Amino acid sequence: MEKRWEIIKHDRAVAAKLADETGLRQLTAALLISRGIDTEEKVRKFVTPSLDQLHDPSLLLGMEKAVKRIMLAVQNGEKILIWGDYDVDGTTGTVLLRCLMRILGANSEFHIPDRFSEGYGLNIPMLQEAKARGCTLGITVDCGIRAFEALAWAKDNGLDMIVTDHHLSDEQQGQPPAYAVINPNQPDCAYPDKDLAGVGVAYKVAQAVLREIGKEEKASSFLKMAAIGTVADLMDLGGENRAIVSLGLRDLTATRNLGLKALMEAADCRSDMTSFHIGYRIGPRINAAGRMDNAKQVVELFEAESFDEARKIAAALDSRNRERQQMQQEITELALLEAAEKGQEKFVVVSGEGWHRGVIGLAASRIADRLYRPAIVLSTKNGVAHGSGRSVGNYHLLNALEGCSDLFDQFGGHAAAAGMKLSSDKIPELSRRLSEHAEKTLTDEDLVPDLQIDAAVSTATLSLELVRELRLLEPFGMGNPKPVFATDGLILRFEPTVIKDKHLKLHLGDSEGRRFEAIWWDGVERSMRQTLRQGSRIELAYTATENVWQGNSRLQLVVEDLREHN
């Protein structure tokens, strides 16, 4: 699919000045300036994250009340329930708070709801069971801010609940009826960073409680879990999150947690860990538990008392992830076929009987990305359809769904993603209305994806030394993407080499005799409209990486897009 390249322009004089002040390359300085890091002092803080960049947890509204209640529960020997969400953010936060409870010597148990039988968030039946087992205090992780009914039941039945969450509260209903609410995004909370993940909020609770007992230095050991959940939940990696992730990644491979060791082994993470390894190796294996089975396995993994036990659970998660990948690919291919049969509608709605509900959201993301259209994928069973939707560009998905609210049994979400439940026989009408809405709302221009390019660079600028300096900008992720460069004047030296039937390796050169190697993931499909042959003149958009193989390092360009020049 053709993309619209948007190349950021830089003030060379300003970049040169910052480069002189910091000793960095001018290109690196320009990249920092475009990220708002425009002084020597800001650069120093950005490239050397430290514990003093973490905010005081007491600034979170509700923290003082929550800490007092937790300490009272510990002193009285009360049984404490930790209730986490089934994604990486929720499970890592649950592990973190369980670890805190062990340090406190508290009596605790945990619950991760089953995606398929319980659904998201708090529910009364499981709170009733926890109460019957003797729990008198509950702490949520990454959920609860809109659980009005369940929290009202808990309040009426002597189960104090502390909600720790980062999602937005309901504007109409306001705050939930919890004993205390800790959420940087709640009204009147003056906390300076609103982008904490759910696990980040749990970390702040641990930090505050450990401070209360004079053991705040132990909080730094929780940063590994906080880093994993923050990256996997696609949180903005600026501000406090940058410090959390940077510090958490720093000694991840030296962890003493048997479960984390086993998971890194299963994911083939043996060297220095980056946000890439979390996002593409560790995170998906943790997420697979909640998508394909029950996410309580994640907590069991990180609480394993022997390496043999940890390895067995890690192997099971690895297997679940492969199963998830295969199922996601099958559903995506079937959905794309159905979309192709419907033609070029501006909103894609596809459904299939018995499609696995744990992967339909991932399939919707792939379809929206591949076709660059808003997409909903629905799984139908016994006349009921469960769906997941993803948007593109600035199209507000939830607004579109609100125009079809009479068709849904349940629905919710935000501008970029949403979930829904409806009768299967209403799917054709849903598709018709959403296509009509998109036709009125989206122009043909809106359906051309933008590719943000950080800088146009010459072949003379490219080097391994540059790539190594750019590591100062890590961790990369949301809010701090890996820099994308564009270089013109490249020539394809040979026919592209096909790898594993779907990827392409390109051997490139310039007029000065410099040679470069590029890899284009899914390049066979993505280059279908192009006639790449020996001698083709190319302008390339890419990220630059260091490829290490058998102890040898070389520069490798990872293709984002390319343009052929006749």
Side-chain angles (χ1 to χ4, degrees):
M1 176 178 291
E2 187 177 339
K3 296 181 179 180
R4 181 170 44 238
W5 292 19
E6 295 186 356
I7 303 178
I8 297 173
K9 304 296 183 185
H10 300 280
D11 187 318
R12 289 178 177 271
V14 174
K17 181 176 181 292
L18 186 61
D20 286 341
E21 292 170 349
T22 59
L24 297 171
R25 284 173 166 77
Q26 191 169 321
L27 175 57
T28 308
L31 295 172
L32 286 164
I33 291 167
S34 68
R35 285 160 166 74
I37 315 301
D38 54 5
T39 67
E40 185 178 359
E41 175 64 13
K42 287 181 181 178
V43 170
R44 185 190 63 75
K45 286 186 176 181
F46 190 80
V47 302
T48 55
S50 59
L51 287 171
D52 62 13
Q53 293 175 22
L54 302 178
H55 301 302
D56 185 339
S58 67
L59 295 173
L60 281 159
L61 183 65
M63 184 64 82
E64 184 180 351
K65 188 178 183 183
V67 170
K68 285 181 178 177
R69 182 65 184 88
I70 292 168
M71 295 310 302
L72 181 65
V74 173
Q75 290 161 14
N76 293 339
E78 296 178 55
K79 195 172 188 180
I80 301 172
L81 168 70
I82 310 297
W83 184 302
D85 186 24
Y86 44 61
D87 67 0
V88 185
D89 193 13
T91 51
T92 52
T94 301
V95 171
L96 190 155
L97 288 186
R98 284 272 288 175
C99 186
L100 173 67
M101 295 300 142
R102 285 194 292 276
I103 292 173
L104 296 172
N107 179 13
S108 76
E109 63 176 56
F110 74 92
H111 181 70
I112 307 287
D114 184 286
R115 178 192 291 263
F116 308 104
S117 62
E118 296 177 63
Y120 171 78
L122 293 166
N123 64 77
I124 293 173
M126 290 301 163
L127 288 177
Q128 286 176 321
E129 289 187 18
K131 175 67 177 167
R133 288 191 301 271
C135 293
T136 52
L137 174 63
I139 307 173
T140 73
V141 182
D142 192 35
C143 61
I145 198 66
R146 296 189 177 212
F148 296 95
E149 187 180 355
L151 288 169
W153 180 91
K155 185 177 182 180
D156 292 341
N157 288 273
L159 178 57
D160 288 344
M161 295 295 297
I162 297 170
V163 169
T164 80
D165 203 346
H166 67 133
H167 296 102
L168 297 176
S169 56
D170 188 294
E171 289 184 7
Q172 276 72 45
Q173 298 189 68
Q175 291 292 84
Y179 180 87
V181 176
I182 304 171
N183 181 340
N185 291 299
Q186 67 179 306
D188 303 320
C189 182
Y191 196 72
D193 198 318
K194 304 296 184 182
D195 291 318
L196 287 175
V199 69
V201 179
Y203 170 77
K204 304 310 290 188
V205 172
Q207 195 182 2
V209 170
L210 290 170
R211 176 186 292 179
E212 184 73 13
I213 62 171
K215 295 183 178 180
E216 190 174 358
E217 75 283 352
K218 288 184 177 290
S220 60
S221 66
F222 294 165
L223 286 168
K224 298 179 186 68
M225 279 296 138
I228 292 170
T230 299
V231 172
D233 210 45
L234 302 179
M235 300 308 297
D236 190 302
L237 296 188
E240 188 172 19
N241 283 340
R242 178 173 176 80
I244 288 172
V245 174
S246 297
L247 296 168
L249 288 173
R250 192 166 289 173
D251 61 347
L252 199 59
T253 52
T255 181
R256 290 181 292 178
N257 184 284
L258 299 175
L260 187 50
K261 277 179 180 287
L263 188 60
M264 287 193 294
E265 180 182 89
D268 197 27
C269 296
R270 301 173 192 274
S271 57
D272 291 342
M273 294 286 289
T274 67
S275 55
F276 169 85
H277 295 92
I278 300 300
Y280 291 93
R281 295 189 186 179
I282 299 294
R285 285 168 171 82
I286 295 176
N287 242 338
R291 290 190 181 280
M292 307 302 292
D293 195 356
N294 192 301
K296 70 178 183 180
Q297 288 178 294
V298 177
V299 183
E300 291 166 355
L301 169 70
F302 290 122
E303 295 186 356
E305 295 182 354
S306 75
F307 200 43
D308 283 345
E309 180 190 359
R311 273 181 160 164
K312 285 177 184 175
I313 301 172
L317 293 182
D318 190 52
S319 176
R320 282 278 184 258
N321 189 51
R322 286 196 300 272
E323 191 181 323
R324 185 272 306 168
Q325 288 173 323
Q326 183 179 348
M327 205 162 285
Q328 177 187 333
Q329 184 176 344
E330 290 172 0
I331 291 174
T332 300
E333 288 173 357
L334 289 169
L336 285 169
L337 282 173
E338 186 180 336
E341 288 172 5
K342 291 184 174 183
Q344 289 297 306
E345 294 181 348
K346 287 185 176 177
F347 199 122
V348 178
V349 178
V350 291
S351 62
E353 182 71 22
W355 284 356
H356 198 292
R357 284 167 51 193
V359 301
I360 55 175
L362 298 172
S365 291
R366 290 296 299 271
I367 292 164
D369 182 57
R370 191 89 61 89
L371 302 179
Y372 206 70
R373 278 158 171 64
I376 287 175
V377 177
L378 296 139
S379 170
T380 61
K381 187 176 181 180
N382 300 326
V384 177
H386 291 86
S388 189
R390 297 294 184 272
S391 187
V392 296
N394 295 319
Y395 185 76
H396 201 296
L397 183 58
L398 186 58
N399 285 351
L401 296 184
E402 284 170 346
C404 312
S405 59
D406 59 303
L407 300 177
F408 299 119
D409 298 327
Q410 296 174 343
F411 78 103
H414 48 82
M420 66 230 52
K421 178 183 174 184
L422 68 159
S423 297
S424 301
D425 59 8
K426 293 179 180 176
I427 293 175
E429 177 64 10
L430 175 67
S431 179
R432 186 192 68 78
R433 287 200 212 172
L434 290 174
S435 291
E436 193 175 88
H437 182 274
E439 194 65 44
K440 291 177 181 175
T441 310
L442 291 168
T443 66
D444 290 341
E445 190 81 358
D446 291 330
L447 299 177
V448 178
D450 290 326
L451 177 60
Q452 185 101 334
I453 295 171
D454 291 88
V457 303
S458 67
T459 52
T461 304
L462 288 173
S463 67
L464 269 178
E465 290 70 31
L466 170 66
V467 172
R468 289 166 181 164
E469 182 172 284
L470 291 177
R471 287 178 190 156
L472 291 170
L473 277 62
E474 291 188 3
F476 296 123
M478 297 297 290
N480 183 41
K482 193 166 189 175
V484 176
F485 300 134
T487 299
D488 205 354
L490 293 168
I491 301 164
L492 194 58
R493 296 171 52 232
F494 313 111
E495 293 280 327
T497 303
V498 178
I499 303 171
K500 294 184 178 179
D501 298 325
K502 58 180 182 177
H503 312 305
L504 292 180
K505 180 179 280 190
L506 308 178
H507 298 275
L508 303 166
D510 70 359
S511 58
E512 303 294 320
R514 300 182 185 91
R515 295 180 177 184
F516 304 95
E517 179 186 284
I519 187 78
W520 196 1
W521 305 117
D522 295 321
V524 171
E525 180 186 340
R526 292 168 66 186
S527 66
M528 285 180 67
R529 295 185 181 181
Q530 292 161 320
T531 53
L532 297 175
R533 58 173 63 93
Q534 185 175 358
S536 293
R537 301 186 67 82
I538 288 170
E539 184 178 9
L540 195 70
Y542 58 90
T543 59
T545 63
E546 180 176 4
N547 185 13
V548 181
W549 176 251
Q550 295 182 339
N552 297 315
S553 293
R554 65 180 185 275
L555 176 67
Q556 186 175 69
L557 312 181
V558 179
V559 180
E560 291 287 331
D561 197 16
L562 63 77
R563 295 170 171 173
E564 275 188 283
H565 297 309
N566 296 325

